[in-house]
């Protein structure tokens, strides 16, 4: 393999096979179809095998990227899989949903002049293709099952990626883990938020079944702070507790008419369609609102998912309405591109100032305030400023608000001695993930605010490592 | 794994049913005013239902539901020994109960069940409770004997006069307010128009009036905003900030509009379900 470098010409990256845009805009099947073995090897061979691989620094869980890519070149799927699993327990998920352009691929040296290596797509290829031979290999960085320790148990509250990582890491070391989830299905945002066409539920189910085989127990319909409190768990003898309840409380705009019928939070719309399977109504009972003209407010991943879901639910026209410009959109680039290909319209430099409705209280449209970009704010992004007197009527019969979230309140309210920061998120020791309550840890969106799957996993890993260190 | 129905009783056949469910962890924590989110089948919708009673010793909760659509109709096909796949709770803020003097508890329809749990709570802390229950006619009255077992002052109103006062609960309420001076609180639970009417009656008397809002819910734990309602000009979530609010500050017309959001699909679901039921005998 040493001569990989010499034989390489700099080609463009191998395009990802996709479902045709016009067709997929009306179905819920996965959009990106995944590389074949041949495509993966050709793409893997583009990697320069850098001495100081920058890509690895860009990955929050520091996967040995060049290592697994080299294994793909050698057609050593197991080797590639082993390398990824060392630090990432949900690669099939991450390969699909990581914002690679700001993480691993954003740092890839090739990206300076050419297109970066398609690291995410290769990771997905490895995860999807490698048939798990043993559950232990599947979810931990160990190759054998540790003997179960009857005397140790850890509770995770919330079943999103942060908790799943904690569960996988500890269960692989023989510690009994019970995951308490408020909804009726585990997975967190992977199940109730990110749509089927981007992250099939079967992929999440595969990762979950690996955990179950390791002996992790999922207790659904258990609401931390209601059905069971942290105090109860400590009294029941759990040696440590991990809080991974996410930041799912939707923000609204606080503008007139926001409670009209037809105005939804992205969380409600997506939860109905994903968790409630409203895309298969009336086969499933949960309904979603039907609309012709839809306005989506915001431009992050959540907004893109909402817009593309609304198209698939039969809307004739879907527009993203965003205060800044396309360059500032926080969504993954690929998702913006996919949305536009599918026919989602983008209206930049526009902000809603009011909703208005008919006599029955149903949404008829919004008033849009035109904006311009002003000076950069603290975050470095240009601040949108209103252009006086420039407003426009925007008729629509559904509006989906995707302007961010706040911490999930229920557990925090029930745990007054849990230290919070000034934004209301849980305060933790940055080295260990421990909260103000000894042996109670936290990580993911409930600590950082809405972030990414892989950063939630990184936080879970850090806490799990500390828990293991204390218990074993 | 499921939540077993230990007892089922059709209080009003085909219309109102009481089920006692085995759910020890929920029973342990339940307080008056709490509710659960429940699913009947794996294709079913999560719906909110009030915990009408709980037995901490035996680990059971009691739900009383009115058959109004697909989910409640499907619930009604389950029998003693069958299981609900999901029951999640206890959710919502419990009723604020403190020793305050005389409390009037008004219940209408299935709301009587929820009201009965709250009335019990008020009696337990030593309040004098006057209960008023209303229904269209005598056969549709619920929980009267349970109520009178701990609450000696029970007033009844029926639309057709088949029992008690002929007319609405609001008339009985007004009569009491006219004759008693120190009513510390009125609690009203029932159909939205009834709760709104009660608030209109109590407003001039300046009596604190608590209502329980039955807005549409999806998760029940504050993650979606489906249940949002306007109270005193502010948007609040019924599932985590409520479901009980100061009735004089609730925007009822907004609530009524929001309850009709999915009427079309609800009818479609129900029609399909009735057909299937008939096909399967
Ligand atoms: C629509 C959408 C699209 C996204 N797209 C991407 C993407 O493409 N790429 C990316 O990297 N990130 C994406 N994100 C962000 C990412 O999903 C989150 O950052 C990540 O899931 C956070 O993980 P977590 O473990 O902190 O919590 P979550 O995934 O939020 O899970 C928390 C879990 O805790 C449960 N819970 C809450 N309260 C309680 C309680 N009191 N008791 C018990 N359980 C409770 C919740 O029901 C939930 O299941 C997206 C988010 C959304 C909403
Ligand atoms: C906190 C709370 C406590 C409640 N307690 C009780 C109770 O103790 N007994 C009882 O009979 N009913 C109660 N309800 C109302 C009950 O949830 C609805 O009757 C039920 O959801 C109807 O479902 P369905 O499929 O049978 O009817 P559908 O045909 O779906 O709907 C019939 C009506 O119920 C309302 N509804 C529909 N879906 C929901 C939903 N997901 N959440 C809330 N309302 C919905 C709609 O406004 C509709 O008009 C309560 C509601 C809330 C919010
Ligand atoms: S986990 Fe995410 S950031 Fe890390 S290599 Fe994989 S796709 Fe890139
Ligand atoms: S930076 Fe890019 S080229 Fe270099 S090792 Fe990483 S993926 Fe390969
Ligand atoms: S039901 Fe979702 S926030 Fe209340």
């Amino acid at each position: 393999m040493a001569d990989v470098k010499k034989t390489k010409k700099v080609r463009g990256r191998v395009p990802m096979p996709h479902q045709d845009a016009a067709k997929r805009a009306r179905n819920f099947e996965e959009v990106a179809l995944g590389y074949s073995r041949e495509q993966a090897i050709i793409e893997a061979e583009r990697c320069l095998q850098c001495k100081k691989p920058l890509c690895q620094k860009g990955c929050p869980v520091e996967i040995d990227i060049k290592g697994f890519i080299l294994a793909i070149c050698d057609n050593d799927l197991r080797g590639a899989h082993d390398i990824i699993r060392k630090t990432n327990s949900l690669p099939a998920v991450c390969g699909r949903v990581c914002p690679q352009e700001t993480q691993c691929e954003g740092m890839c040296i090739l990206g300076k002049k050419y297109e970066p290596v398609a690291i995410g797509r290769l990771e997905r290829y490895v995860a999807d293709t490698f048939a798990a031979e043993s559950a232990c290999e599947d979810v931990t960085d160990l190759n054998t099952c540790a003997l179960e320790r009857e005397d140790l148990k850890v509770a995770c509250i919330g079943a999103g990626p942060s908790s799943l990582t904690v569960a996988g890491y500890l269960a692989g070391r023989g510690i009994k883990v019970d995951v308490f989830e408020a909804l009726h299905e585990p997975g967190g945002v992977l199940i109730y938020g990110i749509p089927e066409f981007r992250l099939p539920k079967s992929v999440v189910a595969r990762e979950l079944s690996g955990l179950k085989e390791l002996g992790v127990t999922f207790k659904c319909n258990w609401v931390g702070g209601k059905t069971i409190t942290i105090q109860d768990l400590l009294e029941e003898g759990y040696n440590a507790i991990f809080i991974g309840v996410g930041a799912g409380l939707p923000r609204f705009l606080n503008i007139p008419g926001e409670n009209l019928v037809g105005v939804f939070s992205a969380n409600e719309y997506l939860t109905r369609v994903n968790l409630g399977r409203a895309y298969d109504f009336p086969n499933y009972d949960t309904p979603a609102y039907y609309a012709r003209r839809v306005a989506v407010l915001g431009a992050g991943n959540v907004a893109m998912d909402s817009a593309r879901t609304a198209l698939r639910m039969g809307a004739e026209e879907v527009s993203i309405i965003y205060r800044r410009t396309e360059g500032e959109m926080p969504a993954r680039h690929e998702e913006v591109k996919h949305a536009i290909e599918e026919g989602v319209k983008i209206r930049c430099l526009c902000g809603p100032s009011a909703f208005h409705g008919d006599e029955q209280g149903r949404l008829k449209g919004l008033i849009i305030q035109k904006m311009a970009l002003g000076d950069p704010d603290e975050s470095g992004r240009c601040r949108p400023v209103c252009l006086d007197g420039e407003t426009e009527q925007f008729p629509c019969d559904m509006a989906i608000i995707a302007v961010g979230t706040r911490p999930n309140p229920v557990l925090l309210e029930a745990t007054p001695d849990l230290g919070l920061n000034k934004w209301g998120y849980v305060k933790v020791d940055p080295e260990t993930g421990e909260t103000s309550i000894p042996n109670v840890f936290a990580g993911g969106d409930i600590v950082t605010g809405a972030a990414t799957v892989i950063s939630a996993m990184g936080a879970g890993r850090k806490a799990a490592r500390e828990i293991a260190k204390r218990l074993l | 794994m499921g939540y077993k129905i230990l007892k089922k009783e059709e209080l009003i056949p085909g219309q109102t049913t009481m089920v006692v469910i085995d759910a020890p962890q929920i029973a342990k924590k339940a307080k008056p005013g709490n509710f659960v989110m429940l699913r009947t089948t794996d294709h079913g919708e999560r719906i909110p239902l009030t915990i009408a009673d709980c037995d901490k010793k035996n680990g059971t909760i009691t739900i009383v539901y009115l058959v109004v659509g697909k989910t409640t109709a499907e619930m009604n096909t389950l029998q003693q020994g069958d299981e609900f796949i999901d029951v999640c709770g206890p959710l919502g803020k419990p009723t604020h109960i403190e020793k305050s003097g005389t409390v009037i508890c008004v219940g209408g329809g299935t709301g009587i069940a929820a009201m009965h749990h709250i009335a019990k709570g008020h009696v337990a802390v030593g309040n004098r409770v006057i209960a008023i229950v209303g229904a269209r006619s005598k056969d549709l009255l619920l929980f009267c004997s349970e109520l009178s077992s701990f609450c000696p002052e029970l007033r009844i109103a029926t639309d057709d006069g088949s029992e008690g006062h002929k007319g609405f609960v609001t008339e009985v309420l007004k009569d009491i307010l006219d004759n008693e001076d120190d009513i510390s609180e009125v609690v009203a639970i029932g159909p939205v128009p009834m709760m709104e009417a009660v608030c209109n009656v109590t407003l001039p008397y300046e009596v604190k009036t608590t209502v329980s809002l039955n807005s549409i819910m999806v998760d029940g734990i504050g993650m979606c905003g489906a249940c949002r309602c306007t109270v005193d000009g502010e948007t609040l979530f019924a599932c985590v900030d409520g479901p009980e609010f100061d009735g004089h500050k609730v925007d009822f017309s907004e609530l009524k509009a929001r309850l009709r959001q999915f009427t079309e699909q609800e009818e479609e679901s129900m029609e399909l379900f009735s057909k299937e039921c008939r096909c399967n005998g």
Side-chain angles (χ1 to χ4, degrees):
Chain A
M1 272 326 294
D3 55 5
V4 166
K5 248 182 181 163
K6 281 180 229 142
T7 57
K8 180 152 36 266
K9 288 196 298 278
V10 181
R11 290 179 256 99
R13 51 162 70 183
V14 177
M16 184 68 147
H18 284 107
Q19 245 200 94
D20 172 64
K23 194 167 141 228
R24 73 182 192 233
R26 301 288 163 187
N27 71 40
F28 274 87
E29 279 144 45
E30 194 171 16
V31 168
L33 301 172
Y35 279 161
S36 66
R37 190 171 63 121
E38 290 71 28
Q39 288 169 317
I41 293 177
I42 296 172
E43 181 60 27
E45 285 176 345
R46 291 180 63 228
C47 171
L48 303 176
Q49 294 293 318
C50 305
K51 280 224 171 55
K52 286 194 188 131
L54 292 173
C55 52
Q56 192 171 0
K57 289 212 173 64
C59 169
V61 293
E62 298 188 354
I63 293 183
D64 172 9
I65 293 169
K66 75 171 199 190
F68 92 75
I69 291 182
L70 189 62
I72 298 177
C73 294
D74 287 339
N75 197 15
D76 173 12
L77 204 54
R78 165 179 289 273
H81 190 257
D82 285 350
I83 292 170
I84 295 174
R85 282 291 190 201
K86 277 211 177 97
T87 55
N88 185 346
S89 54
L90 307 173
V93 173
C94 293
R96 286 174 167 83
V97 305
C98 267
Q100 287 96 4
E101 66 268 16
T102 58
Q103 298 180 349
C104 52
E105 295 177 15
M107 300 284 278
C108 170
I109 194 81
L110 270 186
K112 291 225 159 66
K113 273 186 151 162
Y114 313 95
E115 284 178 302
V117 174
I119 301 168
R121 296 173 185 175
L122 290 175
E123 184 173 337
R124 166 183 165 163
Y125 160 78
V126 173
D128 283 1
T129 317
F130 181 77
E133 271 152 38
S134 118
C136 286
E137 283 172 349
D138 220 23
V139 287
T140 61
D141 51 1
L142 304 173
N143 291 321
T144 50
C145 278
L147 282 181
E148 221 172 279
R149 292 278 305 260
E150 295 292 328
D151 53 328
L152 296 176
K153 58 175 183 173
V154 169
C156 294
I157 308 179
S162 62
S163 287
L164 298 183
T165 307
V166 173
Y169 190 97
L170 296 178
R173 285 163 178 76
I175 298 174
K176 177 88 194 86
V177 183
D178 293 330
V179 182
F180 295 87
E181 166 58 48
L183 297 174
H184 51 259
E185 274 183 61
V189 170
L190 310 182
I191 284 291
Y192 80 75
I194 303 181
E196 179 77 15
F197 56 83
R198 203 147 72 79
L199 179 62
K201 292 191 179 53
S202 56
V203 172
V204 182
R206 189 170 75 208
E207 315 268 23
L208 288 170
S209 75
L211 290 171
K212 285 179 197 155
E213 277 176 49
L214 270 179
V216 174
T217 307
F218 290 98
K219 295 181 167 239
C220 290
N221 302 315
W222 285 75
V223 186
K226 294 282 186 190
T227 324
I228 196 152
T229 64
I230 294 205
Q231 198 53 43
D232 296 335
L233 290 168
L234 291 170
E235 280 165 16
E236 282 183 20
Y238 285 94
N239 302 83
I241 295 166
F242 178 81
I243 302 174
V245 293
L249 176 72
R251 275 181 202 280
F252 285 91
L253 294 157
N254 293 318
I255 58 176
E258 200 156 15
N259 295 345
L260 285 166
V261 170
V263 183
F264 294 90
S265 76
N267 263 14
E268 176 179 353
Y269 191 65
L270 292 172
T271 304
R272 285 181 176 280
V273 176
N274 295 321
L275 183 72
R277 314 308 199 254
Y279 58 81
D280 197 6
F281 180 90
N283 194 14
Y284 284 82
D285 293 342
T286 305
Y289 202 66
Y290 298 139
R292 290 246 246 309
R293 247 175 89 93
V294 180
V296 178
L297 309 167
N301 285 323
V302 184
M304 297 303 148
D305 284 345
S306 304
R308 298 168 71 196
T309 298
L311 268 186
R312 285 162 173 77
M313 292 297 288
E316 284 159 19
E317 191 180 303
V318 181
S319 307
I320 297 258
I321 294 178
Y322 182 46
R323 296 186 302 165
R324 297 185 169 94
T325 64
E326 223 173 293
E328 283 90 23
M329 288 189 171
R332 295 177 76 216
H333 293 352
E334 188 167 78
E335 306 311 330
V336 179
K337 189 168 147 262
H338 284 163
I340 295 173
E341 284 168 7
E342 288 165 12
V344 172
K345 300 208 160 55
I346 310 255
R347 292 282 311 264
C348 289
L349 294 171
C350 288
S353 58
F355 298 95
H356 52 91
D358 62 14
E359 320 69 63
Q360 273 110 50
R362 289 183 173 252
L363 179 72
K364 290 192 67 175
L366 25 138
I367 299 172
I368 285 179
Q369 165 75 55
K370 301 275 183 67
M371 308 272 196
L373 283 190
D375 299 328
D377 60 15
E378 320 80 70
S379 73
R381 290 193 306 174
C382 290
R383 204 190 300 269
V385 287
C386 296
L387 295 173
D388 273 347
E390 292 198 39
T391 58
E392 183 190 314
Q393 294 282 342
F394 187 92
C396 59
D397 48 359
M398 176 158 79
I400 303 175
I401 301 175
V403 296
T405 51
R406 289 181 289 148
N408 273 4
V410 172
L411 180 70
L412 308 190
E413 269 179 24
T415 321
D417 40 347
L418 195 63
L420 305 181
N421 67 20
K422 66 174 171 186
W423 299 280
Y425 294 99
V426 176
K427 206 156 49 182
V428 298
D429 178 332
E431 299 304 316
T432 60
E434 192 170 26
T435 67
S436 59
I437 306 175
N439 295 319
V440 176
F441 297 77
D445 286 2
I446 192 62
V447 169
T448 56
T452 59
V453 171
I454 193 70
S455 56
M457 292 174 58
R461 199 177 158 75
K462 184 187 285 172
R465 202 185 286 140
E466 178 68 21
I467 295 171
K469 201 169 92 192
R470 288 190 196 177
L471 297 186
L472 295 175
Chain B
M1 270 309 283
Y3 300 77
K4 200 180 211 135
I5 301 175
L6 300 177
K7 187 175 157 207
K8 173 178 174 184
E9 190 181 330
E10 295 211 23
L11 302 176
I12 304 167
Q15 200 221 60
T16 307
T17 302
M18 179 178 88
V19 284
V20 177
I21 306 170
D22 180 38
Q25 72 277 8
I26 301 176
K28 199 160 125 194
K29 300 277 178 174
K31 295 206 176 97
N34 283 145
F35 66 94
V36 293
M37 296 295 295
L38 174 151
R39 269 193 340 149
T40 305
T41 67
D42 65 350
H43 279 43
E45 185 178 2
R46 279 168 77 89
I47 64 160
L49 294 162
T50 307
I51 300 175
D53 209 349
C54 75
D55 180 337
K56 296 188 193 285
K57 204 170 86 244
N58 292 314
T60 65
I61 58 170
T62 301
I63 303 289
V64 177
Y65 59 90
L66 184 66
V67 177
V68 291
K70 157 87 196 259
T71 307
T72 42
E74 192 166 51
M75 277 173 76
N76 228 18
T77 62
L78 298 190
Q79 304 303 332
Q80 190 170 316
D82 291 343
E83 293 182 346
F84 293 109
I85 64 166
D86 299 301
V87 181
C88 174
L91 301 172
K93 294 214 174 3
T95 310
H96 181 78
I97 295 178
E98 60 176 5
K99 185 147 171 50
S100 61
T102 305
V103 178
I104 304 179
C105 294
V106 188
T110 23
I112 303 171
M115 180 276 261
H116 134 276
H117 199 199
I118 293 170
K120 216 187 215 177
H122 276 291
V123 169
V125 299
N127 286 327
R128 172 185 167 214
V129 173
I130 305 173
I132 310 176
V133 301
R136 265 182 289 120
S137 81
K138 190 179 162 192
D139 333 324
L140 302 177
L141 283 166
L142 301 168
F143 274 78
C144 286
S145 57
E146 284 87 341
L147 267 169
S148 50
S149 72
F150 61 83
C151 171
E153 296 174 79
L154 172 65
R155 312 286 175 86
I156 293 170
T158 49
D159 295 5
D160 62 1
S162 49
E163 184 152 353
H165 171 80
K166 179 175 189 312
F168 296 129
V169 286
T170 41
E171 292 150 12
V172 180
L173 172 65
K174 189 163 184 322
D175 190 47
I176 300 173
L177 290 170
D178 281 335
N179 292 302
E180 303 240 5
D181 291 332
D182 44 351
I183 302 295
S184 55
E185 186 182 353
V186 173
V187 180
I189 303 186
V192 176
M194 182 212 97
M195 293 192 286
E196 192 177 12
V198 165
C199 292
N200 290 337
V201 167
T202 57
L203 190 61
Y205 297 86
E206 293 178 14
V207 181
K208 176 179 164 197
T209 304
T210 304
V211 295
S212 179
L213 301 189
N214 57 342
S215 39
I216 290 185
M217 294 187 177
V218 176
D219 55 285
I221 52 167
M223 282 164 56
C224 75
C227 61
R228 66 195 192 277
C229 44
T230 303
V231 183
D232 206 11
E234 196 187 343
T235 294
L236 295 176
F237 289 4
C239 68
V240 288
D241 301 317
E244 290 172 17
F245 295 104
D246 178 345
H248 293 145
K249 297 185 172 152
V250 169
D251 181 341
F252 282 105
S253 57
E254 176 185 282
L255 176 68
K256 282 187 269 185
R258 292 186 62 79
L259 283 170
R260 287 191 299 265
Q261 281 179 91
F262 297 99
T263 311
E264 225 177 282
Q265 285 116 309
E266 285 157 5
E267 283 167 2
E268 186 184 342
S269 261
M270 190 57 204
E271 223 167 88
L272 204 74
F273 181 70
S274 315
K275 269 199 215 126
E276 274 169 17
C277 268
R278 257 180 263 126
C279 295
N280 303 339

